[in-house]
Amino acid sequence: MQKGIRRLGVFFIALTLLLVVNLSYLQVWGQKGLLENPANTRRLVEEYGIARGRIITSDGLVLAESVPAPGPFAYLRRYHQGALFSHVLGYDSPQFGRTGLEESYNDQLLGRKPPRSWVEEMTSDVREGNDIYLTLDAEVQSAAAKYLGSRKGAVVAMNPKTGAVLAMYSWPTFDPQALVTQDKDADGTPLADKAMRSYSQDTGSPLLNRAAAGLYTPGSVFKVVTGSAGLEAGLPASTVFDCPGVWEVGGSRVTNYGSPPRSFGRIDMETALTHSVNTYFAQLAVKMGAPALVKCAEAFGLNSVPPLDLPGVSASRIPPAGKMDAVLLAWSGVGQGEVLLTPLQLCLVGCAVANGGRIMVPHLLKEVRKGEAILDRYDASVWRTPISADTAAEMLKMMVSVVEEGTGTQAAISGVTVAGKTGTAEVEGKPPHAWFLGVAPAENPTVVVAVVVENSGGGGGSVAAPIAREVIRAALR
Amino acid sequence: MSPRWKEALLLAVILPLSFLGWVSLDLSTGGTLVAGHVVYPLLWTGFFLLAHLVLRILRPQADPLLLPLAAALTCVGLIVLLRLNAHMARLQLVWLGVGIAAMLLLVALLRDYRSLDNYRYTLAVLGLVLLLSTVFFGREVNGARLWLILGPLRFQPSELAKILLAVFFAAYLAERKELIAAAGKVVAGVHLPRPRDLGPLLTMWALSLLLLIFQRDLGSSLLFFGIFLAVIYVATGRATFVVAGLLLFLAGATLTFFLFGHVRVRVETWLDPLNPETVNDESYQIAQSLFAFAEGGLSGTGLARGSPGLIPFVETDFIYAAVGEELGLLGATALALLYLALCGRGLRLAMRCPDDFGKPLAVGLTAVLGLQSFIIMAGVTRLMPLTGITLPFVSYGGSSLVSNFLLLGLLLCVSEGGGELAEGD
């Protein structure tokens, strides 16, 4: 019998070994797969058990906070400003996950960052997150929403010296509260599901943040880039071209605005920018060559994703120099052809001009706070330096002329020197997009505004410039 | 050092752990100590000190490791229960007292365990009646007919029946082992038992199937059959019984797989617990259990920092998943090793036991603990299909706790030898 008992003991040891090997698989090697399984709601229950921090504008308006809720999730988000800040805030929904700042600053809002001391970590659970304060200014944002109104488009306003985003608005918009609610209708269908379905199926794409992700043909606002590229390539502002109403290149025709297309004769760059003369900038682009134009455009940030602290930012596009023939180059020089810009990228171009050639890293976060204590602060830093200080000053001077006597007079504000550039981008088969890029005050710029109104039917000077004017006014108050 | 002093030394190490558990749990729950919770470690310590003192008088030579090991297991169980459900922890504390009292009473009354040999058929009949009672009078709870309900008392008869049947197996096989082992032909080096000696095996097989079919109690079915195989193997030294038994069991299980939906569901959820079609339905429980283990990782989330509440029946069958989540791989492994130590101790005292009844009895009782703990630990970790039984000494449940302490009492009796008669030898 002794032998049998001993063997039974070996059997028990083997069973225990099996158990421990399997446990090690579950808890160590195979852990990741189980944690990431979509059916695993542990993280959700845990995360919605924490009173998430508030999101507050730089002028103290509370945009989002967490309130106790019935049901499996102890806390749910409440958004106080309806659809006004929705594309920046995003949403924090147990069903649909997180987007916007709710996603990019999730760790801060849940109190996981900045890290706590190990004594606190050992003895107390995180029950409350940290508040995040934004660079956004509620008044500037409200002005953007009010003057864009119910027109498809977007507005971005930034402080060029710091990279702080003052306003970022996109229309059509959505109500983040509708996606977060856990209420159900009479049939038991969650209201949030219905809202998500209707937003997703809406042809106006209300969930799209046009300001950072919308790619549009820029039209004449791109002349700021083409002009800067010329200056950088050694073609001074005094460079003169003969500018007829129609300029033929490689069998294609670049035409000026007006019917019939207006002829300007021999003019320099300032006159050309002031009156947005296509035939000047087409010739300028062809003269400097595709490599110079593309190099400068990429230095401004095209073909790369701007490092804004928001998910879902798109890279603006310009075709590689090798793929540009004379026709495409000429059209690219006036912002047509295959060039595509986001309003954010245009704003960054304006920032370089307004800030002595340097683009600061664009950001929405100002600081992370717990109560009164400031735990973390966003430090301004340079993203890139696409143009020299001289080029920037030269370009700014020409843009002042645009608002004073050219196509952008509607952006003028009495007592403030506003610089700007209009754009009316032709799109095939649809009314043109209206653009405006504004900088103020020109002597010492503190605000840059980019506005696009999709398929507006009007020109940049009449449709987009007045919106930029009101946003600048709000920012300079 | 005498056995009782060894026991005292081990208890001196283990008993403070309960206070540590209480402090750790309270600090991580609310950040402050709840004075009222001190009742749990205090009473628990009191119970085991009392048991130790009584053993000093009644069984000075009994095995010194059994009581400390049971103390360690119940300590983990009590603290985890207190974290999961304070009401259940209170009741568990009461049942702990009842269980230890029952154990001491058994130790006091049963001066010589060999006297059980005389009541083998009485015990067997009692065990069978208990088991089958639920078929006729049982109440179905959570898909299995395991409960007898007498007024306010709920009682799970299979917990007690497993001990009674272990005693019967030991008594029956101790007497017949030579007969069963010696007779029969040798064919191609394999010793074949006589057909008539297969009788007990076939009877047990039938009983297991009966449990499986009428009570939907897969866990007990497997457990009873496993105990029987362990005892018959040790008693006869014939591996052919084990092989034949396993083949029979597999055949029976296959049969029920095709005949009964609930068996099929168990197997399917075992093979593919994370199937999106069943993960929120049939396999919800096992999937949540696996998620809990994964959440725990190496060192666990810490007491009260996980979400074991997501697993249905986490306080009973699935308490091992709560241990895995909050105490991690380290805690779960430690618990598994405690069971292994308990089994090792049980087998050691079986080897040292001088008489032919005590040996298989100790083996049977040890097999109850070893197999039951393995079946449920392997079930909740998907090592084998899930079958609902309790984790001995840790799961919430009065019948389970009291039965396991009775089992411990029997092992203590066997470890000391035959009481007064043995002394007279």
Side-chain angles (χ1 to χ4, degrees):
Chain A
M1 264 205 255
Q2 304 299 77
K3 203 170 90 184
I5 297 174
R6 210 170 278 128
R7 281 191 183 156
L8 193 61
V10 172
F11 177 64
F12 281 143
I13 292 174
L15 288 186
T16 308
L17 221 66
L18 259 173
L19 204 63
V20 174
V21 168
N22 183 48
L23 274 175
S24 309
Y25 171 73
L26 285 181
Q27 305 199 263
V28 183
W29 304 312
Q31 184 190 26
K32 202 158 172 274
L34 285 168
L35 290 181
E36 286 167 1
N37 190 288
N40 192 345
T41 58
R42 268 156 199 280
R43 287 288 148 97
L44 283 184
V45 170
E46 185 202 331
E47 289 180 354
Y48 287 94
I50 296 173
R52 202 173 166 80
R54 297 175 298 168
I55 303 179
I56 303 170
T57 62
S58 64
D59 48 342
L61 186 68
V62 177
L63 305 181
E65 65 182 327
S66 281
V67 292
F73 307 115
Y75 291 96
L76 286 173
R77 241 4 189 175
R78 177 153 305 158
Y79 297 100
H80 292 292
Q81 299 302 320
L84 182 55
F85 290 87
S86 45
H87 291 106
V88 180
L89 292 176
Y91 47 81
D92 168 57
S93 148
Q95 283 85 10
F96 310 117
R98 303 187 175 98
T99 61
L101 289 170
E102 295 277 25
E103 180 186 340
S104 45
Y105 289 108
N106 188 40
D107 284 344
Q108 282 81 355
L109 290 166
L110 284 175
R112 290 174 184 160
K113 271 187 191 170
R116 304 188 297 162
S117 75
W118 71 268
V119 178
E120 274 182 283
E121 200 64 49
M122 293 289 286
T123 54
S124 68
D125 230 347
V126 178
R127 293 282 171 220
E128 253 176 37
N130 301 321
D131 295 336
I132 64 172
Y133 281 71
L134 305 181
T135 56
L136 290 179
D137 183 311
E139 303 242 354
V140 184
Q141 182 84 0
S142 302
K146 181 176 170 192
Y147 291 97
L148 180 62
S150 300
R151 287 179 284 186
K152 277 187 197 168
V155 178
V156 180
M158 285 175 66
N159 180 337
K161 294 183 191 311
T162 59
V165 178
L166 305 173
M168 181 173 267
Y169 184 74
S170 171
W171 196 92
T173 182
F174 64 96
D175 179 7
Q177 200 66 53
L179 299 175
V180 167
T181 179
Q182 298 295 305
D183 295 342
K184 291 175 176 166
D185 68 6
D187 311 331
T189 314
L191 291 178
D193 286 3
K194 283 169 90 174
M196 182 51 107
R197 206 172 311 128
S198 91
Y199 285 142
S200 314
Q201 291 169 354
D202 190 326
T203 49
S205 312
L207 295 174
L208 175 71
N209 181 7
R210 289 167 156 80
L215 287 165
Y216 299 96
T217 300
S220 299
V221 284
F222 194 70
K223 288 169 186 163
V224 176
V225 175
T226 312
S228 300
L231 294 174
E232 289 286 307
L235 297 166
S238 56
T239 306
V240 170
F241 289 108
D242 182 28
C243 299
V246 176
W247 183 64
E248 297 209 5
V249 54
S252 176
R253 291 147 52 99
V254 175
T255 56
N256 285 339
Y257 300 111
S259 166
R262 189 176 156 193
S263 171
F264 288 87
R266 292 176 59 78
I267 52 169
D268 64 5
M269 198 189 290
E270 180 165 334
T271 312
L273 195 78
T274 305
H275 299 287
S276 204
V277 180
N278 283 348
T279 51
Y280 182 93
F281 285 93
Q283 290 181 70
L284 182 67
V286 171
K287 175 106 191 219
M288 77 175 97
L293 179 65
V294 172
K295 188 180 147 221
C296 186
E298 289 189 337
F300 272 113
L302 274 81
N303 290 340
S304 49
V305 178
L308 182 67
D309 46 355
L310 196 69
V313 176
S314 294
S316 301
R317 291 180 209 154
I318 186 166
K323 288 199 175 167
M324 279 200 203
D325 56 12
V327 178
L328 193 56
L329 178 58
W331 279 116
S332 297
V334 298
Q336 295 289 154
E338 292 171 23
V339 179
L340 292 172
L341 249 63
T342 62
L344 173 65
Q345 178 61 60
L346 181 65
C347 194
L348 292 172
V349 168
C351 284
V353 173
N355 192 38
R358 288 189 307 272
I359 304 177
M360 308 303 285
V361 173
H363 60 94
L364 286 154
L365 179 76
K366 189 170 156 208
E367 55 207 19
V368 180
R369 289 197 209 180
K370 179 134 205 159
E372 289 301 302
I374 296 173
L375 305 180
D376 200 4
R377 205 191 293 270
Y378 200 98
D379 295 320
S381 58
V382 176
W383 180 37
R384 27 179 91 211
T385 310
I387 51 176
S388 69
D390 289 346
T391 302
E394 191 92 49
M395 184 50 68
L396 192 60
K397 195 175 115 238
M398 293 190 276
M399 286 167 67
V400 170
S401 165
V402 172
V403 177
E404 282 179 349
E405 52 192 276
T407 53
T409 51
Q410 294 249 31
I413 302 171
S414 66
V416 180
T417 321
V418 179
K421 181 69 196 87
T422 55
T424 305
E426 305 292 337
V427 269
E428 190 141 2
K430 281 184 182 170
H433 303 316
W435 282 94
F436 192 80
L437 172 64
V439 179
E443 300 80 15
N444 181 21
T446 53
V447 58
V448 175
V449 179
V451 176
V452 67
V453 182
E454 233 175 280
N455 308 122
S456 70
S462 60
V463 174
I467 300 172
R469 181 187 66 217
E470 296 309 323
V471 173
I472 290 172
R473 216 197 285 271
L476 295 180
R477 78 188 179 277
Chain B
M1 207 191 303
S2 79
R4 292 280 74 73
W5 279 112
K6 277 187 195 162
E7 187 176 88
L9 208 64
L10 285 168
L11 284 175
V13 176
I14 291 167
L15 295 182
L17 286 180
S18 61
F19 290 91
L20 203 65
W22 157 59
V23 170
S24 153
L25 178 61
D26 273 3
L27 284 186
S28 59
T29 314
T32 49
L33 287 180
V34 182
H37 285 169
V38 79
V39 176
Y40 293 91
L42 214 57
L43 273 179
W44 175 85
T45 306
F47 289 152
F48 278 95
L49 279 181
L50 177 77
H52 169 69
L53 292 176
V54 173
L55 286 182
R56 267 181 182 272
I57 301 164
L58 293 179
R59 301 277 164 162
Q61 296 304 317
D63 189 286
L65 262 75
L66 295 176
L67 192 68
L69 283 170
L73 288 168
T74 51
C75 175
V76 174
L78 194 64
I79 297 296
V80 172
L81 261 182
L82 183 58
R83 178 261 178 272
L84 292 173
N85 186 325
H87 173 68
M88 286 186 172
R90 263 195 304 278
L91 288 174
Q92 184 83 339
L93 200 60
V94 174
W95 283 116
L96 195 66
V98 174
I100 287 186
M103 174 183 79
L104 295 177
L105 207 65
L106 178 77
V107 168
L109 294 178
L110 189 69
R111 294 309 297 168
D112 182 2
Y113 66 87
R114 279 171 296 191
S115 59
L116 288 175
D117 202 1
N118 305 328
Y119 304 108
R120 65 170 81 148
Y121 291 108
T122 320
L123 293 176
V125 168
L126 198 61
L128 283 177
V129 167
L130 278 174
L131 265 187
L132 299 179
S133 60
T134 53
V135 176
F136 303 106
F137 310 107
R139 187 76 57 86
E140 193 164 318
V141 179
N142 314 321
R145 279 171 165 261
L146 302 181
W147 295 89
L148 277 185
I149 301 198
L150 305 164
L153 281 178
R154 301 209 314 173
F155 174 61
Q156 207 168 345
S158 59
E159 291 283 356
L160 191 58
K162 71 192 180 192
I163 302 178
L164 299 177
L165 289 178
V167 175
F168 168 72
F169 293 157
Y172 180 81
L173 292 168
E175 190 184 76
R176 315 226 166 167
K177 65 175 165 33
E178 279 88 10
L179 254 142
I180 295 174
K185 294 175 190 157
V186 177
V187 177
V190 178
H191 200 112
L192 293 179
R194 286 179 303 177
R196 54 184 273 205
D197 291 329
L198 283 173
L201 189 66
L202 290 171
T203 312
M204 265 319 293
W205 180 62
L207 185 67
S208 297
L209 279 184
L210 217 63
L211 280 174
L212 196 60
I213 294 165
F214 288 104
Q215 291 177 269
R216 303 182 162 195
D217 187 358
L218 294 105
S220 299
S221 164
L222 186 60
L223 181 61
F224 286 122
F225 204 62
I227 299 163
F228 176 76
L229 287 184
V231 177
I232 201 173
Y233 172 67
V234 168
T236 64
R238 293 266 168 271
T240 37
F241 281 104
V242 180
V243 175
L246 284 179
L247 287 177
L248 276 173
F249 191 80
L250 274 179
T254 316
L255 196 71
T256 51
F257 175 83
F258 287 109
L259 285 179
F260 301 99
H262 66 277
V263 180
R264 205 154 42 233
V265 167
R266 286 289 168 94
V267 174
E268 276 160 8
T269 56
W270 172 59
L271 290 175
D272 190 10
L274 301 179
N275 185 333
E277 278 174 28
T278 59
V279 74
N280 284 315
D281 203 6
E282 290 100 338
S283 61
Y284 178 79
Q285 203 175 17
I286 180 71
Q288 288 301 325
S289 171
L290 296 180
F291 294 154
F293 279 102
E295 190 72 28
L298 183 66
S299 55
T301 60
L303 280 173
R305 298 273 180 94
S307 335
L310 288 172
I311 315 166
F313 304 108
V314 69
E315 301 90 350
T316 53
D317 296 357
F318 278 81
I319 199 158
Y320 194 53
V323 173
E325 177 168 10
E326 301 207 326
L327 305 180
L329 175 65
L330 296 177
T333 304
L335 206 62
L337 290 178
L338 282 177
Y339 285 109
L340 185 63
L342 199 55
C343 290
R345 210 59 199 176
L347 294 180
R348 181 175 178 274
L349 71 89
M351 291 181 80
R352 295 201 165 184
C353 182
D355 67 278
D356 280 353
F357 171 58
K359 261 182 200 302
L361 178 60
V363 167
L365 296 173
T366 305
V368 171
L369 280 177
L371 291 178
Q372 181 167 352
S373 57
F374 177 77
I375 287 171
I376 188 62
M377 287 192 288
V380 299
T381 54
R382 205 174 81 92
L383 194 57
M384 56 179 269
L386 179 69
T387 55
I389 47 176
T390 55
L391 188 60
F393 295 113
V394 177
S395 285
Y396 168 74
S399 333
S400 166
L401 207 54
V402 172
S403 305
N404 287 319
F405 272 107
L406 286 174
L407 191 156
L408 198 71
L410 280 177
L411 277 178
L412 284 167
C413 290
V414 178
S415 74
E416 211 198 30
E420 281 138 13
L421 276 173
E423 282 160 33
D425 283 352

